[in-house]
Amino acid sequence: MSQTLLRYTRVLEIVGDTLKVRVPPGEDSAVAVRFGDLAVISAVDGSKSLAQIIFIDHDVVTLQVYSGTKGISTEATATFLGHPMQVPYSGNILGRVFNGAGETIDGGPDLAAEPRVSIGGPSVNPIERSVPSRMIRTDVPMIDVFNTLVESQKIPIFSVSGEPFNAFLSRIAIQADADIVVFGGLGLIFDDFYTFRKAFEDAGVFSRTVMFVNQAMDPLVERLLVPDMVLAVAEKFAVEEGKRVLVAMTDMTAYADAMKEVGISQERVPSNRGYMGDLYSQLARRYEKACDFAKGGSVTILAVTTMPGNDVTHPVPDNTGYITEGQFYLHSGMLDPFGSLSRLKQNVIGKTTREDHSQIMNTMIRFYSESRDAAQKQAMAFELSDYDLQLLKFGDLFRDRFMRLDVSMPLEDALDLGWETLAECFEAEQLLMKQSLVDKYFPKETHGTAAAE
């Protein structure tokens, strides 16, 4: 059935990339347009731009123009399309690259005839969710052993500026045992965009990857659309095809900064450090899309959140921490075992993983914590005991074998290496572990303690 498009000519003002139009109420005294719907802005020279409704105040509708308002005057007209932003969805989008407007930018075949799905829908009804109970293997020991990633988990990578967080994110996306990876790039420079794409291609996983990229030179408003596009596609693959989908996004701080700029152009009163008061709810609306569907697959969200000035109390990481189920803390080229946390790891450790997983995790973290105390004693020129020397040796081996970002090995190999590392530094009776596990897994031939060496 055809739908009559609504066209209005009363442009009130243009501020930044936003445009305000007066829309008279309909028959039921309500404005005849809806929040989030699209509109086509027609300038007097005949050029057209796509825009989205971002605010409605009685009969005044605020539109965010994707390509900017340059060349648009108050003589322009707005034609409302009656539907929100839509993105192509089918098996043909695998191996393709889209921009923030949902258009292909890889030079491949046109996807205009493909089915489309609206973005920005509600999160899943809790009754349709299952309790997370399956591990996602990443072959990163600091994740698999110590902070296990669980299907349907929403978890950020908190990173200090200057750390190789993009390279780390691409490596996880490549190595994770997911059926499909949906990547979202927010404000990426071209070098980073090219690096992600080349990494996926070189690893042979591009055929099961979809990329939505907003580059730094692209319109700011498209940065706000990328997470919704990524999550809409991921949800369709999970629900309709039962796929295990990993969503990888970078950087959510750039997304929040774009929200701040749009809010300022709307003359909204900021709440904390210039960010709008709805920052928490806007982030939660996206993160809550993570789900283990009772009658389908799953959507797992792994998103980089940079911390300006290494400040974990910055509004973006601070609000994110209340929403997500833990975080991976990246600094000094390593994953910090004390700043990192996975609140869902207890759902899989020892249940779907090897019986010694929990004991190895706890014991190695305990020894590493003590090794840092021993290192402080050494730095302050205190006399070291034989046990302190054992701890120092263990700390060095732990950082080199487990904490470095370039270390890659399956979970079982990492657990075996954990036993070997413990055996190189300590005697069996020093471990304070279950004797049955020590008898089964502790290497019978040790290399001697640090004190003996």
Side-chain angles (χ1 to χ4, degrees), residues 335-366:
L335 280 184
D336 189 335
F338 303 114
S340 301
L341 171 66
S342 173
R343 294 189 178 96
L344 299 184
K345 63 184 178 183
Q346 67 271 14
N347 292 2
V348 297
I349 290 180
K351 299 176 181 178
T352 62
T353 61
R354 216 165 71 180
E355 59 180 341
D356 59 326
H357 188 167
S358 178
Q359 291 277 296
I360 281 289
M361 173 186 68
N362 293 328
T363 302
M364 295 189 75
I365 289 297
R366 170 166 55 87

Side-chain angles (χ1 to χ4, degrees), residues 13 15 18 20 261-270 276:
E13 63 180 55
V15 180
T18 62
K20 292 185 178 181
E261 291 192 37
V262 171
I264 292 173
S265 69
Q266 294 178 244
E267 300 179 357
R268 294 169 58 190
V269 179
M276 300 299 111

Side-chain angles (χ1 to χ4, degrees), residues 434-446:
K434 290 182 179 179
Q435 191 59 45
S436 59
L437 296 178
V438 174
D439 294 340
K440 183 175 181 180
Y441 293 104
F442 191 77
K444 299 299 185 278
E445 296 182 3
T446 65

Side-chain angles (χ1 to χ4, degrees), residues 31-302:
V31 177
V33 295
R34 296 172 302 179
F35 181 83
D37 279 1
L38 293 180
V40 176
I41 306 301
S42 301
V44 292
D45 62 358
S47 61
K48 298 181 183 297
S49 303
L50 203 60
Q52 184 180 33
I53 300 174
I54 58 174
F55 191 71
I56 299 177
D57 183 12
H58 296 90
D59 60 346
V60 177
V61 175
T62 303
L63 296 164
Q64 181 79 33
V65 184
Y66 291 170
S67 58
T69 55
K70 184 178 180 180
I72 298 177
S73 69
T74 54
E75 299 297 322
T77 61
T79 303
F80 294 94
L81 303 182
H83 62 78
M85 185 69 182
Q86 296 179 329
V87 62
Y89 163 73
S90 73
N92 293 330
I93 70 172
L94 293 175
R96 302 301 301 273
V97 183
F98 300 84
N99 62 12
E103 302 167 342
T104 56
I105 56 174
D106 55 5
D110 184 30
L111 297 176
E114 297 296 325
R116 305 182 78 84
V117 56
S118 297
I119 70 173
S123 57
V124 181
N125 189 327
I127 201 172
E128 298 295 334
R129 296 173 181 257
S130 296
V131 177
S133 60
R134 291 174 292 185
M135 173 186 176
I136 293 183
R137 293 172 176 261
T138 65
D139 290 348
V140 178
M142 288 307 298
I143 295 178
D144 290 355
V145 178
F146 301 99
N147 287 288
T148 311
L149 181 63
V150 182
E151 275 191 38
S152 80
Q153 190 167 12
K154 45 188 181 290
I155 191 165
I157 299 174
F158 285 171
S159 176
V160 179
S161 298
E163 294 295 324
F165 52 83
N166 282 336
F168 184 59
L169 180 66
S170 65
R171 180 179 155 218
I172 294 177
I174 290 169
Q175 296 180 174
D177 62 338
D179 298 326
I180 292 175
V181 175
V182 186
F183 172 79
L186 307 168
L188 295 182
I189 62 174
F190 180 79
D191 288 351
D192 287 338
F193 162 49
Y194 177 77
T195 300
F196 271 109
R197 179 170 179 175
K198 190 173 188 303
F200 293 145
E201 290 176 342
D202 291 347
V205 301
F206 196 60
S207 60
R208 62 177 178 92
T209 303
V210 188
M211 299 183 69
F212 292 87
V213 179
N214 165 259
Q215 298 184 57
M217 62 182 178
D218 293 337
L220 181 71
V221 68
E222 293 182 2
R223 198 166 303 167
L224 301 178
L225 299 175
V226 168
D228 290 336
M229 291 182 178
V230 166
L231 294 169
V233 168
E235 196 171 51
K236 293 292 282 186
F237 275 119
V239 172
E240 296 192 359
E241 301 186 26
K243 300 295 187 182
R244 301 162 64 236
V245 185
L246 175 65
V247 171
M249 291 191 290
T250 179
D251 163 14
M252 292 303 288
T253 302
Y255 172 78
D257 289 341
M259 287 176 50
K260 176 168 66 174
E261 291 192 37
V262 171
I264 292 173
S265 69
Q266 294 178 244
E267 300 179 357
R268 294 169 58 190
V269 179
S271 173
N272 185 6
R273 302 195 199 182
Y275 292 92
M276 300 299 111
D278 64 344
L279 175 63
Y280 176 89
S281 59
Q282 293 292 343
L283 291 174
R285 182 180 175 187
R286 276 78 192 175
Y287 280 114
E288 287 300 328
K289 290 284 190 174
C291 177
D292 193 345
F293 296 94
K295 299 178 181 178
S298 63
V299 175
T300 307
I301 300 177
L302 183 63

Side-chain angles (χ1 to χ4, degrees), residues 145 354 356 360 364 401-402 409-424 440-443:
V145 178
R354 216 165 71 180
D356 59 326
I360 281 289
M364 295 189 75
R401 294 178 177 179
F402 294 91
M409 68 184 80
L411 172 62
E412 290 73 20
D413 291 349
L415 294 175
D416 291 340
L417 182 60
W419 283 107
E420 181 181 338
T421 304
L422 291 172
E424 290 182 33
K440 183 175 181 180
Y441 293 104
F442 191 77

